[in-house]
Amino acid sequence: MEELKDELEKLSKAYVDNPENEEKILIPFIKRLLELPMKERRKLLPVIKDLRWIKSRFAGCLSETHCKPAQARFLSAVQFVCGNKREIDMAYDMKFDMLCKLLPLYCPVWLTDFINDDKTWYGFDLNYEELMQLMDMGYLKELHSGRIAKVLPWVTRIRSKKPQGDDTFNSDFLLRRDITLKEHIWALFEHESGIGYQDDCAKAAYKKGITARDESISIALYRFSLDGHVDRNRLLKATLATFHRNFKKDMTGWFAGFFETLQPTTEELLSLQEEMMQVFTSSYTKPVNVMLQQFKKIAAEDGFCYQEFVERVTTLFFSSPKNSLLTIHAIFEKIATQHPEMKEACCIALCQLFLKKDESLQRKAAGFISKYGDASSSVLQETLQSYQPEMFQSVQAIIATFNAQSTNKPNNTKTANAGAANSETINAEATNTASNAATADHPSADSLSEEPTMEALRICKEDNRISFPANKEDFLFQLSRLFDMEDSWEIDTTIAAIITFHPQLDEEDFSRMEPIFQRASNAVINSWIAYEDLLATFLLEYQRLWAQKDTSKTGVLRNMFTRLEERLKGIDSNRGAYDERAFKRLADWKPGYSDATCFTPIQKLWLDVIRRVKDGSTLPLLSTPTHTPAYIQATELVRRLAAYQAADAKPCTWDFQLAIARCAMEDKEEAIATARQVLKNEYLHLFLFLLDENTMPEPPYTHQPAWVTAGLVKSPETEFEAFKSFSCCTLPHNYLSGDYEWKELKSKEKPYETDRRLLQLEFYKWHEYAERNSHQLWQEHLILNSKYNIDDSRYMEPLLCCFPNRPEPLIAQIISCYLSFGTPQEDSKRSIAHALRMLLSFHCPLREMSLLLLGGSLLFVDKTVRSYAAELWIEGLTAGRINNRRTGEILARLISMELAPLKRFTTQVYESMYKRSTFHNHQLEELLTVLICGLPDKPVTGLKQLLELHLELLSNNHSRITDEQLRQRLQEWTASSNLKKVITSLNNL
């Protein structure tokens, strides 16, 4: 075998890719390998992995680059005949012609599943036509719709043979095979695909003159729907159905545009009204707006379902953008004109526009009500009265004028009424008179909830207490759903329960556990999620533990383990021996794609659980949370540690650190009193230091990592002198506390359009600390993390729940990896939103990194992220854990850096931060004051709207400008004609 490995290395490094070498070198070598058993061939896999990457060292850092294409082509062919489905990670390097030469020699049973796996990154680079040829040849048994959706959009593209040449397109390729338009095309309407990008390229080629006509798939399908190649009615309905499939925004936008491209006729639109109205529930605005435009076309037709439209469209008033609301207003105009009985229903529905903090929209609604409303209607008057606190003063003037003129007007005087309602023609005197009257009756801030009590919110309450399994049955049920648990505290509790209930389990109980062990083996083989893989490996380690100890005559436990092993064996020699990784030891586990060590402490903690079960120890884990999302009641933690002290047992250092990191910092007096009663020596000193503000560290320091962790929980910004000599303190203190500086970025020629990141953490420098890292602190493993380990909630929640009292180090990484201000990827939006949700669930003060995330999220392009940030601001102020002035300074600095337009923040304030309570209105006033003072001397885009918001807020709060810096700043801006009017109004308050 060693000779074969040497030969593989020599051949691959010297290989030159051409047909002659394929026939004389590569194929003969493959045939020789196929003469060996699969078990022997598999021994070449580590060699292939080493040869694939060329290692080098630069500036003290180890880096790896991919081998040359010819060598990769050689190695991919060898790997194809040596590995199983999970191990083939070089398939992309294998071209179609090579695959066709290998399949007659060796066709693995996993080939069809491997090709159809649309979730892996390591599939073959095969196009639609090549896949169809494999089906024709009988090697590919079936082609799943998900794989079809991935490859079909590219069928029209003709790659240029020149390196810098332009690709061309031919949509007639869709007509090559009958099955394409009869069956396969519908996969595009069921799965995510690259059809939008492909269409953009085809349209660009047409604009450049590369193609004689528009060869985009959207235009092609439109033509095919007219000439009978595609069922047009099915095409329209399938397009409407895509808006309920949770597609990404760009994909949904493409289908919305495609519906317009199909140019549905009036008859078709009338027949599709129900399906079109169902689109109103879409979370994206473009399809909704497209449907509204289509309804506008048929609003005057006899078959228009106007009553149902009015009922269904009311759900859009809160979430839709301005252009959509204007379209609804125009449709309502047609309905009110043609169907007089609907006037009041339309007026009442449009009253919801008064909740929009857009003066022009409110004036539109007021004008409609003045034109079509009946002032004598008590229902309409009561509705208007309920919305009055939300109206701008000019809008109140219109409604007041409408009421005054409507009381004496005769019937059928629509023209006069409309003239009176026209807000653009109301003279200044009438406006001022009505405005003053409205202001006198305006409840404004007085109608809001009062200032909240600033008592510290409870962390550990009865309603968030975590229930530990009450008995063996509860434990077995909880264990059975281990892979289905959404919250990390459930997993923590279940693993801790293994220690308690393992001694009570018998053979029958272990038999009932077989399904969860089978799921674990499946997860190890198929899952790409590191945390899930680690959890599965832990379960298989636990299974091995008791299976090896089975001494019963029946051997039921050993037999169960054997069945799992046999299940992983191949049906024939193509599958080879069972996948050893499914039975690898927990101690040898590591992420398969990264050298990051953020999961190492969790791995070592779970190894300690295995050791306890093996030794028969029933001492509880210190770190199991008692209250959601990840807190341990301080008194309970003291009692747990007292149990270790009584048993003269030393806690696992990772368990000890995690327990302290999760300790709820409340009820300190009770916990201190309990500690004085049940703890002694170092344990007592440690807890007094943690819980008592005035107590300093006191030796001995046997548990150094626990002391450092206690210091980070108690006062993260303090670097305690007593800890500096500890062997575990090898990194700069700010790396452990997450206190990073963020430097101002250079301005760009095109602000708001660049993908500039807010915080540039130099990850490669962190690795310089790896060699002299003590590897004793949980934080040390966390900061050597990478983007791929905090990808989204699957990783982020377990990691953040390790540090509910000080999530700053992880928050810094999330900012660095995901908080950009260009067009974000879906994983960026998902990750930022999840981080904000986690901060909402914690009770810790928001320090610099968390405030930076909050400020950046209030300016983020995604509305959902901004909404979470607004809720965090609301909750954080209520709980007294946000520095409001610092938040305003951060916002001012971000806007000054031209990272994002100011309009995003102003819009979010109107939608979810303004008028939440009297207290929050005053806090918002302070925030805006600090923000405005920190803006650049040259007025930024959107400043007028911000000042108008500030004016509205001051009027609502019955306040006026008292900050001299703000007065000076406004005085500097009076030179701008665009701002002069609003600044004058501010100064006259």
Side-chain angles (χ1 to χ4, degrees):
M1 179 53 66
E2 293 302 321
E3 294 179 359
L4 191 60
K5 292 179 180 179
D6 293 339
E7 184 179 2
L8 171 60
E9 182 174 358
K10 291 178 182 178
L11 289 177
S12 65
K13 290 183 177 180
Y15 185 72
V16 177
D17 191 18
N18 57 52
E20 182 180 358
N21 286 338
E22 279 185 7
E23 296 299 328
K24 293 183 178 181
I25 299 175
L26 179 54
I27 297 300
F29 185 72
I30 294 295
K31 289 181 178 179
R32 285 172 51 201
L33 291 178
L34 291 174
E35 294 175 357
L36 300 174
M38 174 59 81
K39 187 174 183 179
E40 292 298 312
R41 300 202 300 266
R42 289 174 57 81
K43 295 179 180 178
L44 293 179
L45 292 175
V47 181
I48 295 172
K49 183 177 181 181
D50 291 339
L51 292 173
R52 180 184 179 185
W53 299 101
I54 301 173
K55 297 181 180 180
S56 60
R57 185 174 290 273
F58 177 75
C61 296
L62 185 66
S63 63
E64 294 181 340
T65 56
H66 201 272
C67 63
K68 295 179 180 180
Q71 185 177 356
R73 187 176 171 89
F74 186 96
L75 293 173
S76 65
V78 176
Q79 188 188 65
F80 180 73
V81 301
C82 293
N84 59 30
K85 175 185 172 182
R86 174 71 184 269
E87 293 160 331
I88 303 301
D89 58 2
M90 296 187 69
Y92 191 85
D93 297 301
M94 186 184 300
K95 305 307 178 187
F96 179 67
D97 59 339
M98 172 56 65
L99 184 61
C100 289
K101 293 177 181 179
L102 292 178
L103 287 176
L105 304 174
Y106 172 76
C107 183
V109 295
W110 46 260
L111 180 67
T112 295
D113 290 339
F114 183 77
I115 289 177
N116 283 313
D117 186 358
D118 58 353
K119 296 181 176 59
T120 180
W121 299 341
Y122 303 119
F124 293 110
D125 183 22
L126 301 178
N127 60 40
Y128 175 76
E129 183 58 33
E130 290 167 345
L131 290 172
M132 294 305 295
Q133 289 182 39
L134 289 180
M135 290 196 71
D136 294 341
M137 291 184 286
Y139 295 119
L140 182 58
K141 304 303 181 184
E142 61 177 332
L143 194 57
H144 292 178
S145 59
R147 175 53 60 191
I148 294 173
K150 293 284 186 183
V151 297
L152 186 55
W154 306 93
V155 73
T156 63
R157 183 186 287 258
I158 305 172
R159 295 289 185 183
S160 174
K161 295 181 180 180
K162 298 179 181 179
Q164 301 298 325
D166 293 316
D167 294 345
T168 188
F169 299 82
N170 187 351
S171 57
D172 287 340
F173 289 163
L174 291 167
L175 301 172
R176 279 181 176 177
R177 296 173 179 266
D178 292 341
I179 196 174
T180 303
L181 292 181
K182 287 184 178 179
E183 298 181 19
H184 290 175
I185 196 67
W186 306 111
L188 297 176
F189 297 81
E190 298 172 356
H191 302 275
E192 292 276 1
S193 70
I195 191 171
Y197 173 77
Q198 179 74 354
D199 253 24
D200 289 342
C201 294
K203 291 180 182 297
Y206 175 55
K207 290 180 180 179
K208 292 179 181 179
I210 299 173
T211 57
R213 63 177 183 176
D214 189 341
E215 298 288 355
S216 63
I217 293 181
S218 56
I219 292 296
L221 290 178
Y222 169 63
R223 293 198 306 266
F224 296 154
S225 72
L226 298 178
D227 61 21
H229 281 100
V230 176
D231 185 332
R232 180 171 173 82
N233 186 56
R234 182 181 178 185
L235 193 61
L236 288 166
K237 289 188 175 182
T239 304
L240 292 172
T242 61
F243 303 123
H244 308 292
R245 297 193 185 278
N246 294 321
F247 285 158
K248 294 179 182 178
K249 185 177 181 179
D250 55 347
M251 186 86 172
T252 304
W254 183 88
F255 279 109
F258 178 57
F259 191 82
E260 292 179 305
T261 299
L262 291 174
Q263 301 178 27
T265 64
T266 299
E267 291 73 18
E268 287 173 333
L269 291 175
L270 289 172
S271 68
L272 294 170
Q273 288 184 80
E274 175 58 31
E275 290 87 347
M276 291 164 60
M277 288 185 194
Q278 290 177 7
V279 179
F280 292 164
T281 60
S282 173
S283 57
Y284 299 115
T285 58
K286 185 173 181 179
V288 173
N289 199 35
V290 168
M291 293 306 112
L292 290 174
Q293 292 295 335
Q294 301 301 319
F295 274 114
K296 188 176 179 181
K297 296 177 183 178
I298 61 174
E301 300 295 329
D302 290 339
F304 176 47
C305 302
Y306 58 89
Q307 290 179 319
E308 187 175 0
F309 176 83
V310 173
E311 294 174 3
R312 303 275 282 273
V313 83
T314 53
T315 60
L316 300 178
F317 281 100
F318 180 73
S319 59
S320 296
K322 185 175 181 179
N323 59 338
S324 296
L325 297 174
L326 291 174
T327 303
I328 295 173
H329 177 274
I331 297 174
F332 274 22
E333 283 272 5
K334 293 184 178 182
I335 294 174
T337 301
Q338 293 193 288
H339 307 282
E341 75 277 9
M342 294 299 296
K343 288 181 180 180
E344 181 165 294
C346 292
C347 288
I348 292 175
L350 282 175
C351 283
Q352 294 183 62
L353 291 183
F354 295 131
L355 295 175
K356 308 296 290 186
K357 299 305 177 181
D358 184 300
E359 191 169 1
S360 62
L361 280 176
Q362 289 196 11
R363 288 158 76 101
K364 278 281 188 182
F368 186 96
I369 293 170
S370 297
K371 184 177 181 179
Y372 297 106
D374 181 3
S376 63
S377 169
S378 59
V379 175
L380 180 57
Q381 289 296 335
E382 290 176 6
T383 303
L384 288 173
Q385 184 66 29
S386 66
Y387 284 102
Q388 190 176 15
E390 308 299 331
M391 298 179 187
F392 285 88
Q393 294 183 5
S394 62
V395 175
Q396 293 184 27
I398 298 174
I399 299 300
T401 305
F402 155 67
N403 290 336
Q405 295 191 9
S406 297
T407 52
N408 298 317
K409 72 176 182 179
N411 293 332
N412 302 320
T413 56
K414 294 180 181 178
T415 303
N417 188 34
N422 189 344
S423 60
E424 301 298 330
T425 61
I426 296 177
N427 60 61
E429 181 178 354
T431 301
N432 291 336
T433 302
S435 177
N436 292 337
T439 303
D441 298 330
H442 190 6
S444 63
D446 298 334
S447 65
L448 301 177
S449 58
E450 295 301 319
E451 181 172 339
T453 57
M454 297 307 293
E455 296 180 4
L457 297 178
R458 296 284 302 168
I459 300 174
C460 300
K461 300 174 291 185
E462 196 58 38
D463 60 0
N464 72 322
R465 181 181 294 278
I466 297 172
S467 299
F468 198 79
N471 50 50
K472 185 175 67 174
E473 289 299 318
D474 288 350
F475 163 70
L476 290 173
F477 171 74
Q478 200 158 309
L479 185 68
S480 69
R481 49 183 296 273
L482 191 60
F483 288 103
D484 302 318
M485 293 175 174
E486 297 181 355
D487 299 306
S488 64
W489 59 262
E490 289 188 279
I491 296 176
D492 291 343
T493 304
T494 304
I495 290 178
I498 292 177
I499 298 174
T500 302
F501 292 100
H502 177 78
Q504 304 177 27
L505 302 179
D506 54 28
E507 290 184 7
E508 182 181 351
D509 297 323
F510 287 129
S511 297
R512 294 164 60 187
M513 295 163 66
E514 183 172 1
I516 191 65
F517 294 129
Q518 290 178 343
R519 288 192 64 178
S521 63
N522 286 333
V524 169
I525 295 172
N526 299 312
S527 176
W528 296 97
I529 305 173
Y531 186 70
E532 184 177 352
D533 186 33
L534 175 59
L535 181 61
T537 305
F538 163 76
L539 278 177
L540 291 177
E541 185 75 25
Y542 173 53
Q543 182 202 38
R544 177 190 287 105
L545 180 66
W546 51 255
Q548 292 174 345
K549 286 192 172 184
D550 181 20
T551 58
S552 63
K553 293 181 180 180
T554 58
V556 61
L557 309 184
R558 295 192 307 274
N559 292 337
M560 186 191 307
F561 193 85
T562 302
R563 286 197 300 273
L564 288 175
E565 180 179 326
E566 290 294 334
R567 192 172 57 85
L568 296 173
K569 290 183 180 179
I571 299 175
D572 56 21
S573 59
N574 287 337
R575 291 292 295 268
Y578 67 82
D579 189 341
E580 292 92 343
R581 289 168 310 158
F583 295 95
K584 66 188 174 187
R585 306 308 298 263
L586 179 60
D588 299 327
W589 180 92
K590 64 178 182 179
Y593 54 84
S594 170
D595 292 330
T597 63
C598 62
F599 293 109
T600 299
I602 300 176
Q603 173 194 15
K604 294 184 177 181
L605 175 61
W606 290 353
L607 278 169
D608 183 62
V609 172
I610 296 295
R611 179 189 60 79
R612 294 182 190 214
V613 173
K614 184 177 181 180
D615 295 343
S617 172
T618 57
L619 287 173
L621 281 180
L622 295 174
S623 58
T624 307
T626 61
H627 293 76
T628 61
Y631 289 100
I632 305 174
Q633 196 170 32
T635 305
E636 175 61 24
L637 179 54
V638 169
R639 293 194 180 103
R640 290 178 183 175
L641 191 58
Y644 281 79
Q645 180 179 268
D648 196 22
K650 185 178 180 180
C652 169
T653 181
W654 307 104
D655 188 27
F656 204 178
Q657 290 180 63
L658 182 59
I660 294 174
R662 288 175 167 177
C663 183
M665 302 301 284
E666 66 178 8
D667 297 331
K668 296 179 182 179
E669 295 79 5
E670 177 186 349
I672 289 173
T674 304
R676 292 185 184 279
Q677 293 175 0
V678 300
L679 296 181
K680 59 183 178 181
N681 300 331
E682 184 177 2
Y683 292 152
L684 175 59
H685 298 157
L686 176 57
F687 268 84
L688 291 179
F689 165 67
L690 173 66
L691 300 171
D692 186 3
E693 294 181 2
N694 300 319
T695 300
M696 296 301 291
E698 180 180 343
Y701 302 119
T702 306
H703 302 277
Q704 291 184 0
W707 280 98
V708 174
T709 304
L712 291 169
V713 172
K714 178 177 183 175
S715 180
E717 65 279 358
T718 304
E719 187 173 5
F720 292 94
E721 189 68 28
F723 301 162
K724 290 183 178 180
S725 61
F726 285 4
S727 62
C728 60
C729 292
T730 57
L731 299 180
H733 184 74
N734 71 301
Y735 276 59
L736 303 180
S737 63
D739 185 16
Y740 300 101
E741 295 183 0
W742 50 291
K743 300 178 181 180
E744 186 167 337
L745 303 178
K746 295 181 180 179
S747 61
K748 300 289 183 179
E749 294 182 1
K750 295 182 179 180
Y752 318 139
E753 297 181 5
T754 55
D755 188 22
R756 293 185 289 164
R757 297 197 180 278
L758 184 57
L759 187 65
Q760 297 286 354
L761 294 182
E762 298 171 321
F763 286 96
Y764 70 90
K765 286 189 175 181
W766 292 4
H767 291 278
E768 295 177 5
Y769 292 101
E771 294 181 359
R772 62 186 184 89
N773 190 13
S774 74
H775 302 290
Q776 299 177 48
L777 291 175
W778 199 298
Q779 294 85 350
E780 292 175 324
H781 294 277
L782 177 67
I783 66 170
L784 296 177
N785 199 352
S786 72
K787 170 181 178 177
Y788 307 104
N789 292 112
I790 53 174
D791 173 68
D792 56 38
S793 59
R794 295 173 299 181
Y795 300 145
M796 192 183 297
E797 181 175 344
L799 295 177
L800 276 170
C801 281
C802 294
F803 306 96
N805 286 308
R806 46 181 183 82
E808 302 296 300
L810 256 178
I811 295 298
Q813 294 189 52
I814 292 166
I815 293 172
S816 180
C817 293
Y818 296 111
L819 190 58
S820 61
F821 292 87
T823 302
Q825 300 293 325
E826 286 298 319
D827 64 334
S828 295
K829 294 188 287 187
R830 187 172 60 246
S831 298
I832 294 294
H834 192 77
L836 292 169
R837 288 199 301 269
M838 293 302 295
L839 287 179
L840 270 166
S841 68
F842 292 158
H843 296 266
C844 57
L846 269 62
R847 298 181 172 86
E848 183 69 5
M849 291 297 101
S850 295
L851 291 176
L852 184 55
L853 179 67
L854 170 61
S857 298
L858 286 170
L859 295 169
F860 199 69
V861 65
D862 182 65
K863 185 176 180 180
T864 301
V865 168
R866 295 201 305 271
S867 298
Y868 276 121
E871 288 305 312
L872 180 58
W873 181 80
I874 295 291
E875 185 277 336
L877 287 173
T878 304
R881 60 193 191 101
I882 282 183
N883 184 332
N884 197 37
R885 293 192 64 84
R886 180 55 186 156
T887 305
E889 293 170 355
I890 289 174
L891 282 167
R893 186 173 170 185
L894 298 180
I895 294 167
S896 299
M897 292 162 65
E898 297 184 333
L899 288 170
L902 180 57
K903 182 182 178 181
R904 291 179 188 170
F905 171 73
T906 308
T907 302
Q908 195 60 48
V909 170
Y910 269 131
E911 290 186 353
S912 54
M913 297 166 68
Y914 180 35
K915 292 188 177 180
R916 294 295 289 263
S917 72
T918 302
F919 166 72
H920 288 103
N921 272 357
H922 287 292
Q923 293 294 313
L924 183 58
E925 180 182 332
E926 178 188 49
L927 181 72
L928 295 187
T929 298
V930 176
L931 168 58
I932 295 171
C933 289
L935 292 177
D937 295 339
K938 182 181 178 181
V940 298
T941 303
L943 179 58
K944 180 182 178 183
Q945 289 74 22
L946 180 65
L947 294 180
E948 289 174 344
L949 166 62
H950 196 43
L951 174 62
E952 184 80 11
L953 180 62
L954 289 173
S955 300
N956 193 70
N957 289 351
H958 305 302
S959 302
R960 60 187 181 87
I961 296 175
T962 57
D963 189 287
E964 289 303 319
Q965 185 181 357
L966 178 56
R967 284 193 177 278
Q968 183 179 353
R969 175 63 74 190
L970 293 176
Q971 184 62 35
E972 295 170 356
W973 288 333
T974 52
S976 173
S977 58
N978 186 44
L979 303 176
K980 188 173 183 179
K981 182 178 179 180
V982 64
I983 291 176
T984 301
S985 299
L986 282 166
N987 288 328
N988 290 338
L989 283 174

